[in-house]
Amino acid sequence: MTKNKVKDLRSAIELLQSIDGQLVETDVEVDPMGELSGVYRHVGAGGTVMRPTQEGPAMIFNNVKGHPGARVAIGLLASRKRVGYLLDCEPEKLGFLLKDSVNNPIKPIVLPHEQAKCQEVTYYATDEGFDIRKLVPAPTNTLEDAGPYITLGMCYASNPDTKESDVTIHRMCFQSKDEISIFLQPGARHIGYFRELAEVKGEALPISISIGVDPAIEIASCFEAPTTPLGYDELQAAGAIRNEPVELVQCLTINERAIANAEYVIEGEILPGKRIREDINSNTGKAMPEFPGYCGPANPELPIIKVKAVTTRKNPIMQTCIGPSEEHVSMAGIPTEASILTMVDKAMPGKLLNVYCASSGGGKYIAVMQFKKSVPSDEGRQRQAALLAFSAFAELKHVFLVDEDVDPFDMKDVMWAMTTRFQADIDMIPIPGVQCHPLDPSNQPEYSSHIRARGVACKAIFDCTVPFDKKNRFERAQFMDVDPANWLPDMFKKKGE
C-alpha cells in the first residue's frame, strides 16, 4: 500500500510528507500552554473534542515558545486512514492486522549503546541546571490542566520478581525539575501491578519513558488483558506488525531498557511510599481532558517518578496528542477491535465480519459489530457475540449489532439500521451492575442511585440486525453496480493511489 518503510517517528513523518493532505507544518510561534492544542483542535483533532473540530492532517509546530529549536508533532494517528498509511494496511482491515500481530509475536532485541539513536545527547539529573520542564517541550491540552503532560510516552518497566516486561501509555504530569506524577488505574495496567510488587518490598521500580517512536509501537502498547495477559510484552506485537523486532537499548542510569530510536527517553524510578497531589502546581482541581471529552479530576495522590536522566536524538521531535482526539480513538479502538475479533472468532468462526470502535465512544465505549446470519440457528448468536465483546474488553459500554449490508464504519448507516431495524422494548438488552469505565461521568453514584460504586454501571446491547426469518422484508434498494471513476477519475481514485 505504501512505498516508504516506517521504522520510527522520523520515517513516519517522511511518509506523511509524501502524501497530499496528511501533514502540515507551521513556523509561527505557539505557546505550548493551551495554545498548541487549541490550534490543533481546529486543524485535525476530531474524536470527542468539543465542536468545532474536524478530522484533518497531522501537524508539526516548528517554533515553540520557551523551547528554542524544539519541534512538536501532534495528530499522527488522528485519522484511521492515516493509521492505514503508517501501518501499511487498508483502514478497514486494521483490526485484523492487530489480531494477527498478537498471535505471531516477535520478541524485541537489545542494541549496543553506540547504535542507539535515543542516546545521542544525554542530560543527567545531577547536572547543574537540570530541569525536565525545559528539556522536554510537553504541552498542556487546556489552560486548566494540572501542568505539562506527557500523553504519548511509552512506559517500559519489568516485574521485579519474574523480570517480564510490559509497555503501556499513562497520564504523566511534570511536577518539578526532576519529578513526574503517573496515573496508574488500579487493577487495570501491568506496570501498576509491578509498582505494587516493588513497593511491598520497599523498592523503587525502574521505568523508562520513550517519546516519539514508531506508530506501530504506540498502537500495540494499547492492548489490554485478556488479549495480552500479564507477562505478554506488547512490543512483541509491534514487532509482528513490522515483521522485525523492536530495537531496545539499556538505559544509562537505571536497570531497564528503552526504545532505541525514540526521540526522547526519560529514565527514572517510581518511588515506594511517595505520593503527590496531581494539581499541586495549578490548584485547578483538574488533571487534563480525557478521552470521553471531559476534564479528568486531579488525583489527590499519585505515585512519583524520580527522574535520573533524559536522553535524546540530535534535534529531537516531541510527540503529543489531545486527550479526547481521534488519536486516542485509533490507539485504543483498533487494539480493542482486534481483541473482539479474536474472542468471537474462537467461539463462532466466520460469523463476525468486522468491528469498529467508534469515535463517539473514544475507541473504548462503543463497538459496532457486523454479524452474518447464514442459517436459522444463527438467530440469537449475534447477541452471544456481543456478550463475548464485553468479555474481550471490560471497559466497553455499548455494542451495536448490524447486518452484513450495513457499513460498521459509517455511523450514519449504523443509525439508519437502528432506526429501521430496532425496537427498544425487544432489541435493547441492558446488563446492569457490571464494571464499566470510571472516567465516564454517567457511571458514578452521583448520577443515579442504581449505581452502587464508581464505574459499576450498565452496559447495553443494541441489536439492529434483522430477524433471520424476515430478511426478505428488509432488503435494501439495489442500484446498478458501476465504476464511477469512468466518469470522474479525479474524484474516485483507487485506494492507495
Side-chain angles (χ1 to χ4, degrees):
M1 182 179 172
T2 57
K3 296 179 181 178
N4 300 34
K5 184 177 181 180
V6 176
K7 59 183 182 299
D8 57 10
L9 176 61
R10 298 191 186 194
S11 54
I13 290 173
E14 289 175 4
L15 171 62
L16 297 183
Q17 287 172 330
S18 71
I19 305 172
D20 288 343
Q22 293 302 321
L23 181 71
V24 294
E25 296 188 42
T26 179
D27 294 327
V28 178
E29 184 183 68
V30 67
D31 193 328
M33 300 300 103
E35 189 174 49
L36 188 150
S37 293
V39 172
Y40 193 64
R41 169 198 176 190
H42 293 279
V43 174
T48 58
V49 171
M50 182 180 179
R51 275 50 184 163
T53 188
Q54 64 178 359
E55 185 176 312
M59 190 171 184
I60 298 178
F61 293 88
N62 294 318
N63 188 353
V64 183
K65 184 178 180 181
H67 295 275
R71 293 178 289 168
V72 176
I74 188 170
L76 262 74
L77 303 175
S79 156
R80 193 179 183 100
K81 181 178 181 180
R82 190 154 58 248
V83 174
Y85 287 132
L86 293 169
L87 299 191
D88 199 18
C89 177
E90 294 292 335
E92 298 83 3
K93 297 295 184 182
L94 285 166
F96 294 91
L97 173 67
L98 268 288
K99 170 179 173 286
D100 292 342
S101 73
V102 172
N103 295 328
N104 299 280
I106 297 178
K107 292 183 178 181
I109 59 174
V110 180
L111 299 182
H113 292 292
E114 59 270 18
Q115 293 181 21
K117 295 179 180 178
C118 71
Q119 294 177 346
E120 290 175 336
V121 183
T122 59
Y123 306 90
Y124 294 97
T126 53
D127 294 342
E128 184 177 352
F130 178 88
D131 193 331
I132 53 174
R133 297 166 297 189
K134 296 178 181 178
L135 292 173
V136 184
T140 68
N141 275 198
T142 76
L143 294 176
E144 295 182 305
D145 286 12
Y149 274 91
I150 300 173
T151 55
L152 279 178
M154 305 301 110
C155 297
Y156 201 69
S158 302
N159 186 315
D161 296 331
T162 67
K163 308 307 178 186
E164 294 171 326
S165 302
D166 190 72
V167 61
T168 51
I169 299 175
H170 296 280
R171 180 173 99 200
M172 292 175 286
C173 183
F174 288 173
Q175 301 294 0
S176 72
K177 64 183 180 66
D178 64 352
E179 291 182 327
I180 303 172
S181 62
I182 180 169
F183 178 71
L184 299 164
Q185 187 174 317
R189 300 293 184 270
H190 297 164
I191 288 180
Y193 175 66
F194 299 164
R195 183 201 65 79
E196 292 170 4
L197 292 177
E199 188 166 69
V200 167
K201 299 179 180 182
E203 299 175 355
L205 180 74
I207 184 171
S208 70
I209 306 164
S210 300
I211 307 167
V213 300
D214 180 354
I217 297 174
E218 294 166 344
I219 294 280
S221 69
C222 294
F223 271 113
E224 298 183 24
T227 304
T228 54
L230 190 65
Y232 186 105
D233 185 349
E234 285 83 1
L235 290 182
Q236 299 175 106
I241 292 171
R242 298 300 186 203
N243 200 31
E244 60 184 32
V246 172
E247 296 174 340
L248 301 175
V249 66
Q250 185 67 30
C251 293
L252 300 177
T253 62
I254 60 172
N255 185 23
E256 193 48 87
R257 295 159 296 168
I259 297 168
N261 58 22
E263 297 290 324
Y264 292 84
V265 171
I266 299 174
E267 300 180 5
E269 295 177 330
I270 303 180
L271 301 177
K274 301 289 185 180
R275 302 290 188 272
I276 194 169
R277 177 164 57 89
E278 193 168 14
D279 66 335
I280 196 168
N281 293 308
S282 70
N283 295 304
T284 62
K286 297 180 179 180
M288 59 167 280
E290 292 283 4
F291 72 90
Y294 302 92
C295 278
N299 199 293
E301 54 175 33
L302 289 178
I304 297 171
I305 299 172
K306 194 72 171 179
V307 177
K308 299 286 188 179
V310 174
T311 71
T312 77
R313 295 179 68 154
K314 294 176 182 176
N315 303 311
I317 305 169
M318 177 66 184
Q319 190 179 4
T320 189
C321 76
I322 293 175
S325 69
E326 188 72 16
E327 196 143 21
H328 186 280
V329 176
S330 297
M331 290 190 295
I334 297 170
T336 299
E337 294 164 12
S339 297
I340 294 171
L341 286 164
T342 298
M343 183 76 80
V344 177
D345 195 53
K346 288 180 180 178
M348 45 188 84
K351 294 301 177 184
L352 185 60
L353 303 183
N354 218 324
V355 185
Y356 172 49
C357 290
S359 297
S360 47
K364 281 179 175 276
Y365 290 169
I366 293 174
V368 182
M369 301 174 62
Q370 186 187 46
F371 193 89
K372 183 178 181 179
K373 300 176 188 176
S374 304
V375 293
S377 60
D378 283 340
E379 187 58 57
R381 299 188 78 194
Q382 76 277 12
R383 299 184 181 187
Q384 289 178 312
L387 293 173
L388 289 169
F390 290 130
S391 298
F393 187 68
E395 297 169 352
L396 188 61
K397 183 179 183 180
H398 292 155
V399 168
F400 291 82
L401 295 163
V402 298
D403 293 298
E404 61 266 35
D405 64 341
V406 175
D407 182 355
F409 297 94
D410 184 345
M411 290 307 291
K412 292 180 181 178
D413 213 27
V414 174
M415 289 298 100
W416 168 82
M418 188 174 185
T419 302
T420 65
R421 300 177 174 182
F422 173 88
Q423 289 294 318
D425 59 339
I426 58 173
D427 294 322
M428 196 273 285
I429 304 97
I431 309 171
V434 288
Q435 187 66 49
C436 295
H437 198 286
L439 288 179
D440 180 346
S442 72
N443 290 348
Q444 313 300 328
E446 298 85 355
Y447 186 84
S448 170
S449 60
H450 295 288
I451 298 175
R452 292 177 292 182
R454 183 171 183 254
V456 178
C458 185
K459 299 181 187 291
I461 300 169
F462 298 87
D463 189 352
C464 307
T465 62
V466 174
F468 184 82
D469 61 354
K470 295 180 174 59
K471 276 196 168 187
N472 62 334
R473 296 182 56 196
F474 288 83
E475 186 176 350
R476 300 184 76 159
Q478 300 296 303
F479 291 83
M480 183 182 292
D481 190 10
V482 300
D483 185 356
N486 292 333
W487 288 267
L488 297 167
D490 292 336
M491 183 176 178
F492 293 96
K493 289 183 179 179
K494 303 297 183 184
K495 288 184 178 180
E497 291 183 0

